[in-house]
Amino acid sequence: MENNIEVRRWLEDFNLSHPLVIAGPCSAETEEQVLDIAKQLKQSDVTIYRAGIWKPRTRPGGFEGVGAIGLKWLQKAKEETGMLMAVEVANAHHVQLALEHDIDVLWIGARTTVNPFAVQEIADALAGTDKIVLVKNPVNPDLALWIGGVERLYNAGIEKLGVIHRGFSTYEKTKYRNIPEWQLAIELHERFPNLPIICDPSHITGKRDMIQQVSQQALDLNYDGLMIETHNNPDKAWSDAAQQVTPDTLKQILKNLVVRHKSVEGDAFNDKLEKLRLRIDEYDTKLIEILGNRMRIADEIGVIKKENNVAILQNRRWKSILEKMKAGGKEESLGEEFILQLFRAIHQESINHQQNVINKEE
Ligand code: PEP
Ligand code: MN
């Protein structure tokens, strides 16, 4: 697959003068909703209409999708607007139904990409068709697993391929719903430069206010397109309400985007620098988030100390932290003086936090 230009032919055939836009609701809810959104999106630069029919939910009891009936609504939306229709498939049965209803684009969801058995089953069910298939990244940041999913489809003879970057799940709370880990997608792009790469800022951010910024970041990294969840009444959506935008907002987001020219030979240096800076920014953002989480724990300790009437400053504990961090710093080739300064500052901030907690309670 490495240098096979065929994998991006489908995208070039659209002959777009702008990045590819895939938009539509997280879930198809009713026929009216599907048709109303589709008609509104037809007024924007949307080429592919998306709607989830079968919804993978983290816990049972939520809305699990309308099922096969939704495929009929999408057929109607296609008749009325001419947009291509896309759904998520998670098993061979979904594929069969999607094929029967002339769905044009199938995507494999993050919870399915993690499972090679499921991806193989989908690949086998699609063999011999010429559908466009997009593979979302797995929920965990595992590049090999993502590539493996694409390869299973390619080996089944599917050539109209692409990937969707929707971010990765983390245990730590971050400002993202799924952290982007851009360097992983960049590495994928470097290994398979012909494979179209589409960013899904809706699932990366989980918040509609952040979609513009993350979409721009993706374009700055030469992504081929965007998948943005769009709903006629986002706040009332049956799934992923917080991250959906109205068709009007989508139009505005697309209008605000700055599409830069792909870098030419002479720009290789700047391009490299830009990518490295992005990785630094990512680590700096994580540092701030980690420090925030650390201080929130310090606050909790402050409450306990107050309840038990214990002094804030515990010298023995502080000394042992410092020794441990000096040893850890050495392993990471960080200077001892730097570690001392850093942890003095962190410790001071912890004390300030605990003092604030205590003062507030008095
Ligand atoms: C979706 O696109 O609505 C979806 C369920 O996405 P993901 O697989 O990225 O969670
Ligand atoms: Mn969704």
Side-chain angles (χ1 to χ4, degrees), residues 11 14 26 44 61 162 192 200 307 341:
L11 179 60
F14 289 138
C26 177
S44 285
F192 303 102
D200 173 347
E307 281 167 4
Q341 282 183 16

Side-chain angles (χ1 to χ4, degrees), residues 26-27 50 55 177 203 229 239-240 243-244:
C26 177
S27 301
R50 65 147 283 156
K55 299 305 296 179
R177 178 177 178 198
H203 288 88
E229 287 190 335
S239 59
D240 288 349
Q243 68 190 34
Q244 302 204 56

Side-chain angles (χ1 to χ4, degrees), residues 9-286:
R9 186 87 64 204
W10 64 271
L11 179 60
E12 276 159 17
D13 282 349
F14 289 138
N15 222 350
L16 302 172
S17 57
H18 52 78
L20 174 73
V21 182
I22 305 174
C26 177
S27 301
E29 298 167 4
T30 65
E31 181 172 340
E32 296 67 41
Q33 174 243 20
V34 165
L35 294 177
D36 181 33
I37 301 169
K39 280 181 206 150
Q40 294 192 57
L41 289 180
K42 183 66 194 151
Q43 317 301 318
S44 285
D45 285 336
V46 178
T47 304
I48 301 176
Y49 186 70
R50 65 147 283 156
I53 301 294
W54 301 283
K55 299 305 296 179
R57 305 315 297 269
T58 305
R59 298 183 63 194
F63 172 59
E64 302 208 316
V66 292
I69 182 82
L71 296 169
K72 297 221 169 9
W73 307 339
L74 290 178
Q75 275 185 305
K76 223 170 181 179
K78 181 164 151 177
E79 273 167 32
E80 294 193 10
T81 66
M83 288 187 286
L84 299 188
M85 295 293 133
V87 297
E88 172 177 349
V89 291
N91 57 43
H93 183 57
H94 293 165
V95 171
Q96 193 194 333
L97 285 166
L99 293 178
E100 282 169 16
H101 290 83
D102 267 333
I103 296 298
D104 310 280
V105 180
L106 297 91
W107 86 81
I108 298 181
R111 292 164 194 76
T112 306
T113 309
V114 291
N115 181 350
F117 288 134
V119 177
Q120 191 58 54
E121 180 185 315
I122 293 168
D124 293 342
L126 280 166
T129 72
D130 70 341
K131 296 294 174 187
I132 299 168
V133 186
L134 307 174
V135 182
K136 283 200 168 194
N137 66 257
V139 281
N140 56 323
D142 184 338
L143 184 56
L145 197 55
W146 195 1
I147 293 173
V150 180
E151 283 172 337
R152 283 176 198 281
L153 293 157
Y154 186 75
N155 291 345
I158 295 148
E159 285 202 328
K160 297 179 177 173
L161 285 168
V163 293
I164 303 174
H165 175 208
R166 51 79 79 193
F168 302 89
S169 140
T170 52
Y171 176 68
E172 288 289 333
K173 286 269 157 288
T174 74
K175 66 175 174 170
Y176 299 104
R177 178 177 178 198
N178 294 290
I179 50 167
E181 304 283 13
W182 295 103
Q183 77 281 0
L184 239 104
I186 290 170
E187 198 179 325
L188 176 65
H189 185 62
E190 276 165 4
R191 284 180 59 182
F192 303 102
N194 289 317
L195 191 62
I197 179 160
I198 292 155
C199 180
D200 173 347
S202 309
H203 288 88
I204 286 179
T205 64
K207 289 181 218 64
R208 59 180 74 104
D209 294 354
M210 287 172 71
I211 289 177
Q212 178 87 60
Q213 179 219 333
V214 169
S215 300
Q216 185 63 55
Q217 259 179 305
L219 294 196
D220 292 346
L221 290 167
N222 294 331
Y223 277 50
D224 296 289
L226 300 166
M227 178 190 251
I228 300 181
E229 287 190 335
T230 313
H231 195 286
N232 52 355
N233 191 356
D235 285 329
K236 291 276 154 43
W238 298 2
S239 59
D240 288 349
Q243 68 190 34
Q244 302 204 56
V245 296
T246 61
D248 278 346
T249 305
L250 178 78
K251 207 181 228 178
Q252 195 55 48
I253 290 173
L254 299 179
K255 204 170 137 208
N256 292 345
L257 286 173
V258 182
V259 183
R260 304 186 208 283
H261 295 294
K262 297 214 171 179
S263 57
V264 287
E265 209 52 33
D267 280 347
F269 158 79
N270 279 327
D271 207 39
K272 237 184 201 155
L273 202 63
E274 204 43 53
K275 282 176 181 161
L276 290 173
R277 282 185 174 145
L278 192 84
R279 291 176 64 181
I280 295 254
D281 289 351
E282 224 163 17
Y283 280 118
D284 286 347
T285 308
K286 279 186 194 166

Side-chain angles (χ1 to χ4, degrees), residues 318 322 326 335-348:
W318 164 233
L322 213 49
K326 275 199 279 189
E336 190 170 312
E337 187 52 33
F338 166 67
I339 293 287
L340 276 175
Q341 282 183 16
L342 178 67
F343 277 89
R344 267 191 208 122
I346 290 176
H347 188 231
Q348 184 57 54

